[in-house]
Amino acid sequence: MNAAETLASESRTNWLSWLRRELAPFPGRDATTLRLVAGVVLVTIISMALQVPEAPLSAYMVFFVTKANRALTTLAGILLMLGATVGIAASLFLYQYTFDYPQLRIPVMATMVFVGMYLSRAFVIGPLGFAIGFVVAMTQSVAETVPDAESLVRALLWLWVIVVYPIALTVVISHIAAPVAKAPARAEAKKTLFKADAFTNPAHVRFALKVTLAAMTCYILYTGVDWPGIHTAFITCCFIALESTGATLRKGWLRLIGCLTGGSLGFLAILYLVPHMESIALLVLLTGAVSAFAGWVAAGSERISYAGLQIAFAFFMCIFQGFAPATDFDTIRDRLVGIILGILMTSFVFRYIWPEREVAIQTVQTLVRG
């Protein structure tokens, strides 16, 4: 065996050892996974029985909201429900002026992406600011797909139901089954809505501008070529963006790996299992089994947890294509293309425009705290 083969063998061994460590059980991981499976199973039954549209998004919200303990899950749920409510209400108000005027709608979308991403870093409750900005921007992008204003209003109200009911269900499950967090010692501090460097650190504005540039470029590209199926590019740009360039790229890779895994599972299920399903019970069993795998990954450390969320979402997008057995593979293709486009665009922008290094960010944070 030559030196190159030896190095490759050692790399594979090290990678497999790392993966085994990341997938190993630890206290609380199995309980979190069970809560995720229970939430997804209940959402599947409710969405299929009551014919609630966009079941993939409802099922994914269970993964998105579930945290390690009851307090964190409840806080995340309240912030997301509030953000979705305010965002959809704001979008309905803005549509009075933008529905028939795409030349106004695009600047509004860009502005809301910027505001959401800026608040995600400068606001004390960053997730709330991000949720409002993202929901407004995303809902403003659907005007081209609806025939009239009445259908648009109906779609946005349904979206509120699609997002809020699984969040509320997840919070209830957490109060029944999730552990209670130990109360940490609180340091007295001056209460304020914004962080100490919110208006003095130019990195916040630059970060928001970079995400806005990447997301809106993707939106213009897939709108220009009339390929709305790859709208996940816009979502990817917003969701993988982190403070440093390296962290953003790592999150992008986790999103891609998770999507490929979940999409492959969905492809195999549609090919071999779904055509033979004749009842909701079989769909629930399939969804619960894959949710258990994705949930185990999602309940792991920060090094792999984001991949678990993407495994779940990609699989849900494949399986839940309506209220009948799904056999369309275009969804898998479009989602992968959209994610790849979003990762490439975000990587390019973050690498070459105002790149932020982790060491520099840690230094600034230390100075602010000091």
Side-chain angles (χ1 to χ4, degrees):
M1 182 179 293
N2 56 35
E5 292 175 339
T6 301
L7 182 61
S9 177
E10 291 177 352
S11 299
R12 284 194 298 271
T13 302
N14 292 336
W15 184 85
L16 290 173
S17 299
W18 175 85
L19 186 61
R20 281 195 295 268
R21 288 196 302 271
E22 291 296 328
L23 294 177
F26 56 79
R29 190 171 194 173
D30 53 349
T32 301
T33 302
L34 286 174
R35 285 190 286 126
L36 285 167
V37 173
V40 171
V41 166
L42 287 175
V43 166
T44 301
I45 295 172
I46 292 171
S47 293
M48 293 296 109
L50 302 181
Q51 295 196 350
V52 179
E54 297 297 334
L57 181 57
S58 294
Y60 178 67
M61 294 312 299
V62 176
F63 272 77
F64 196 71
V65 175
T66 299
K67 307 299 178 186
N69 58 63
R70 184 185 306 174
L72 290 177
T73 301
T74 302
L75 177 61
I78 292 173
L79 290 178
L80 284 173
M81 286 190 288
L82 180 60
T85 303
V86 173
I88 290 174
S91 192
L92 285 170
F93 172 78
L94 289 170
Y95 263 127
Q96 297 180 80
Y97 309 99
T98 63
F99 181 69
D100 294 316
Y101 302 97
Q103 65 271 26
L104 293 178
R105 192 163 60 247
I106 292 176
V108 166
M109 286 178 60
T111 300
M112 294 312 301
V113 172
F114 174 84
V115 170
M117 300 312 300
Y118 174 79
L119 291 178
S120 71
R121 285 183 53 155
F123 203 45
V124 172
I125 314 176
L128 177 60
F130 168 79
I132 294 174
F134 175 76
V135 168
V136 174
M138 196 64 209
T139 52
Q140 286 287 307
S141 70
V142 304
E144 294 87 357
T145 63
V146 293
D148 51 54
E150 182 180 353
S151 300
L152 175 67
V153 173
R154 185 183 298 273
L156 292 188
L157 293 179
W158 262 119
L159 178 62
W160 184 86
V161 175
I162 291 162
V163 170
V164 169
Y165 104 79
I167 294 177
L169 183 64
T170 303
V171 172
V172 171
I173 292 174
S174 74
H175 277 265
I176 296 173
V180 179
K182 296 180 181 179
R186 294 184 178 180
E188 292 295 328
K190 183 180 178 181
K191 295 181 179 180
T192 178
L193 291 176
F194 292 92
K195 295 180 180 179
D197 65 340
F199 304 107
T200 58
N201 188 354
H204 299 330
V205 175
R206 293 173 180 173
F207 172 78
L209 286 173
K210 288 189 292 186
V211 179
T212 303
L213 175 61
M216 293 309 298
T217 300
C218 288
Y219 171 76
I220 292 171
L221 283 175
Y222 69 71
T223 303
V225 300
D226 193 23
W227 195 356
I230 63 170
H231 67 278
T232 46
F234 181 92
I235 300 172
T236 297
C237 293
C238 296
F239 274 86
I240 70 171
L242 294 173
E243 290 183 337
S244 72
T245 301
T248 299
L249 297 181
R250 286 194 294 273
K251 193 173 183 182
W253 276 110
L254 286 175
R255 184 174 175 85
L256 180 60
I257 292 170
C259 179
L260 289 172
T261 304
S264 299
L265 292 173
F267 175 83
L268 293 173
I270 292 175
L271 196 61
Y272 295 109
L273 299 178
V274 172
H276 305 288
M277 291 184 177
E278 299 179 354
S279 68
I280 191 174
L282 295 175
L283 176 64
V284 167
L285 288 174
L286 172 62
T287 305
V290 177
S291 296
F293 167 63
W296 187 265
V297 178
S301 70
E302 293 183 356
R303 291 182 291 272
I304 64 168
S305 60
Y306 190 67
L309 271 67
Q310 296 311 307
I311 292 171
F313 193 30
F315 179 77
F316 298 152
M317 288 288 290
C318 298
I319 293 298
F320 299 125
Q321 298 183 27
F323 305 110
T327 57
D328 186 5
F329 294 105
D330 291 345
T331 300
I332 304 174
R333 178 203 63 195
D334 291 353
R335 176 163 169 75
L336 284 174
V337 171
I339 288 177
I340 292 171
L341 174 61
I343 291 173
L344 291 176
M345 188 61 65
T346 305
S347 301
F348 179 83
V349 171
F350 271 69
R351 182 177 293 275
Y352 294 107
I353 301 178
W354 296 315
E356 292 186 77
R357 307 302 178 192
E358 293 183 70
V359 174
I361 292 171
Q362 292 170 0
T363 302
V364 171
Q365 292 174 342
T366 302
L367 291 174
V368 170
R369 289 195 296 267

